């Protein structure tokens, strides 16, 4: 049986994606890398009251996805991330350290005009990125037919009616 390592989270960015090398940089081979932190709130019942519990996750975004999203990754922006968990291990001064983060396969910007001063259309925005070196999200673009009122009319393109 194959092991599964998939993660889907929705949360808000904890800081703006700056030009600091730790936040956004290019690898020696020219690949873009963005490191962001996401706060994910969870409500749980404690006695008779509901309390919010925040969890923080570090996310790494690679390639054209990182480059294209850079202007939109601002503090408080809600995003959805799909990817996998990756554990980094290192040793410093004889002590061993470990950290688990998320490597994004795809990122979706959520929210509307009320988020970040109306910098995007309402209803969310999912950028379409070309495939490159396996780091871009694997999204298929669907374009609805440009027909006028195709529901129930003769221009529907279907031989039979939908029974409802």
């Amino acid at each position: 049986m194959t092991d599964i390592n998939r993660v889907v989270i929705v949360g808000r960015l904890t800081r703006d994606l700056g030009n600091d090398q730790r936040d956004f940089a290019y690898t020696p081979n020219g690949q873009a890398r963005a490191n962001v932190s996401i706060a994910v709130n969870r409500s749980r019942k404690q006695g008779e009251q509901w309390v919010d519990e925040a969890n923080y996750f570090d996310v790494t975004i690679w390639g054209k996805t990182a480059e294209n999203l850079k202007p939109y990754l601002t503090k408080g922006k809600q995003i959805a991330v799909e990817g996998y968990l990756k554990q980094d291990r290192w040793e410093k001064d004889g002590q061993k350290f470990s950290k688990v983060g998320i490597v994004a396969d795809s990122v979706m910007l959520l929210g509307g005009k009320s988020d970040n001063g109306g910098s995007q259309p309402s209803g969310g925005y999912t950028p379409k990125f070309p495939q490159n070196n396996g780091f871009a999200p694997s999204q298929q673009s669907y374009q609805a037919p440009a027909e006028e009122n195709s529901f129930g009319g003769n221009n529907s393109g279907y031989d039979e009616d939908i029974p409802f």
Side-chain angles (χ1 to χ4, degrees):
M1 181 175 178
T2 303
D3 297 333
I4 298 173
N5 181 358
R6 294 304 298 162
V7 175
V8 177
I9 63 170
V10 175
R12 296 195 178 269
L13 295 169
T14 61
R15 65 181 185 276
D16 289 345
L17 181 64
N19 291 324
D20 183 359
Q21 286 283 75
R22 290 173 289 176
D23 290 344
F24 186 86
Y26 288 91
T27 62
N29 67 356
Q31 187 80 304
R33 177 205 29 87
N35 289 328
V36 297
S37 179
I38 298 177
V40 178
N41 291 322
R42 178 178 168 260
S43 293
R44 61 181 176 85
K45 196 164 188 175
Q46 186 176 21
E48 293 296 316
Q49 288 186 314
W50 285 94
V51 293
D52 287 335
E53 179 180 278
N55 293 287
Y56 300 92
F57 299 96
D58 292 328
V59 178
T60 303
I61 306 167
W62 288 98
K64 289 287 184 188
T65 306
E67 289 178 332
N68 292 336
L69 288 177
K70 186 178 179 188
Y72 304 103
L73 298 178
T74 57
K75 183 177 180 176
K77 182 68 183 165
Q78 188 178 38
I79 66 172
V81 175
E82 181 181 359
Y84 60 93
L85 297 175
K86 183 175 185 296
Q87 182 179 27
D88 293 321
R89 298 178 189 156
W90 68 97
E91 191 172 322
K92 182 178 179 182
D93 299 329
Q95 228 178 353
K96 294 182 180 183
F97 295 92
S98 174
K99 178 179 174 182
V100 176
I102 299 170
V103 178
D105 289 330
S106 66
V107 176
M108 182 186 299
L109 301 175
L110 303 175
K113 290 184 179 183
S114 62
D115 285 353
N116 300 326
S119 62
Q120 71 181 52
S122 63
Y125 167 72
T126 306
K128 303 291 185 224
F129 303 110
Q131 297 292 81
N132 86 332
N133 298 334
F135 291 111
S138 57
Q139 299 178 5
Q140 293 181 353
S141 176
Y142 172 76
Q143 187 75 20
E147 296 179 10
E148 252 186 67
N149 194 7
S150 63
F151 298 103
N154 293 335
N155 297 333
S156 68
Y158 295 103
D159 294 332
E160 54 191 57
D161 290 331
I162 299 173
F164 61 96

